[in-house]
């Protein structure tokens, strides 16, 4: 069964350091999403790509967060510098069209110390 | 996006009991989705609802799209220990060009054997 691959699964970093997460969507899925999930909350959208273009980054803290999907396939989310409040699960999802086929990866659990 | 209100926030039940949870909003939606998230994993789609009044089952799970289009219910019959997890309702937000999912805060289910 096709799945969304994310790495690393866990990351511990010191505040003020840079950290990066990687996502490989399901083959053929043009739309890719990055979500942040704080403990006890539902996932919240950070950024949405259609192929290599950003279509929604209204909730992305652009002073420290950046995301790219250079060839329209895999994607990287970066935080620089990391802050204590960035500790969360970072989830990647991809979809073929709308809600159909919307599939999440297993996420990266980030702890900032 | 519009806020979704899920209740209850958490449930502690005995194995074999039936479970009911709901999700409400002040806005009308065209799609309601229910996801389950297990510890350390991404959310997995359980049921998708596309029409007001629609009642859909997936094994022991049954979900309904409210007539007013402002609410949805998820029922689990004869609960088992593997039902443990967090259940999220979500709607498809078409503010962007392709749409993205907006989640409620979740209902945490604990099942005692």
């Amino acid at each position: 069964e096709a799945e969304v691959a994310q790495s690393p699964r866990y990351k511990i970093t010191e505040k003020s350091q840079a950290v990066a997460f990687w996502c490989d969507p399901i083959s053929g899925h043009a739309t890719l999403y990055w979500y942040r999930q704080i403990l006890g909350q539902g996932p919240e959208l950070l950024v949405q790509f259609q192929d290599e273009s950003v279509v929604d980054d209204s909730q992305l803290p652009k002073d420290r967060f950046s995301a790219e999907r250079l060839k329209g396939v895999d994607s990287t989310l970066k935080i620089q510098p990391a802050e204590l409040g960035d500790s969360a699960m970072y989830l990647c999802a991809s979809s073929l069209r709308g809600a159909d086929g919307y599939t999440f990866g297993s996420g990266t659990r980030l702890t900032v110390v | 996006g519009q806020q979704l209100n899920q209740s209850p926030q958490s449930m502690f039940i005995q194995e074999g009991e039936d479970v009911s949870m709901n999700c409400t909003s002040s806005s009308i939606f065209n799609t309601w989705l229910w996801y389950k998230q297990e510890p350390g994993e991404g959310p997995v789609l359980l049921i998708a609802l596309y029409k007001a009044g629609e009642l859909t089952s997936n094994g022991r799970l049954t979900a309904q799209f409210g007539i007013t289009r402002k609410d949805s219910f998820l029922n689990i019959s004869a609960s088992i220990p593997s039902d443990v997890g967090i259940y999220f309702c979500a709607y498809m937000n078409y503010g962007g060009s392709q749409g993205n999912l907006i989640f409620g805060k979740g209902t945490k289910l604990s099942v005692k054997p």
Side-chain angles (χ1 to χ4, degrees), chain B residues 57-73:
Chain B
S57 294
N58 178 5
R60 293 178 297 105
L61 277 62
T62 302
Q64 183 163 24
F65 193 143
I67 291 291
T68 65
R69 293 167 60 194
K70 293 183 178 182
D71 58 3
S72 179
F73 302 86

Side-chain angles (χ1 to χ4, degrees), chain A residues 13-16 64 82-88 110-113:
Chain A
T13 191
E14 294 183 347
K15 64 180 182 179
S16 80
R64 296 185 301 108
E83 297 181 352
L84 295 177
D86 296 332
S87 295
L110 173 67
T111 302
V112 182
V113 297

Side-chain angles (χ1 to χ4, degrees), chain B residues 13-92:
Chain B
I13 63 169
Q14 197 78 30
E15 181 178 1
E17 290 182 357
D18 296 343
V19 172
S20 184
M21 60 190 78
N22 70 78
C23 191
T24 62
S25 173
S26 57
S27 298
I28 292 173
F29 299 131
N30 293 320
T31 306
W32 282 98
L33 304 111
W34 284 93
Y35 282 79
K36 178 188 178 186
Q37 186 177 29
E38 297 184 5
E41 298 296 328
V44 174
L45 180 65
L46 298 174
I47 293 177
L49 302 161
Y50 300 101
K51 193 164 58 175
E54 180 181 355
L55 184 71
T56 298
S57 294
N58 178 5
R60 293 178 297 105
L61 277 62
T62 302
Q64 183 163 24
F65 193 143
I67 291 291
T68 65
R69 293 167 60 194
K70 293 183 178 182
D71 58 3
S72 179
F73 302 86
L74 176 69
N75 296 319
I76 305 173
S77 63
S79 59
I80 59 178
S82 63
D83 290 332
V84 165
I86 304 176
Y87 292 79
F88 292 99
C89 63
Y91 71 92
M92 180 59 73

Side-chain angles (χ1 to χ4, degrees), chain A residues 8-101:
Chain A
R9 286 297 305 269
Y10 305 93
K11 180 70 177 179
I12 299 174
T13 191
E14 294 183 347
K15 64 180 182 179
S16 80
Q17 295 298 305
V19 64
F21 317 125
W22 177 80
C23 172
D24 191 11
I26 291 173
S27 177
H29 280 194
T31 311
L32 184 147
Y33 313 81
W34 282 102
Y35 282 81
R36 177 171 60 184
Q37 185 177 22
I38 295 169
L39 193 64
Q41 303 289 319
E44 295 179 330
L45 182 71
L46 289 175
V47 61
Q48 177 180 345
F49 289 91
Q50 180 65 27
D51 298 310
E52 66 275 8
S53 301
V54 173
V55 297
D56 187 347
D57 64 355
S58 57
Q59 301 303 311
L60 187 71
K62 298 181 188 64
D63 57 335
R64 296 185 301 108
F65 286 65
S66 64
E68 60 183 16
R69 193 184 184 197
L70 293 175
K71 297 182 179 178
V73 180
D74 59 338
S75 176
T76 302
L77 178 70
K78 297 179 181 177
I79 308 175
Q80 182 173 19
E83 297 181 352
L84 295 177
D86 296 332
S87 295
M89 173 80 90
Y90 289 83
L91 293 160
C92 180
S94 69
S95 73
L96 184 62
R97 183 173 48 251
D100 289 335

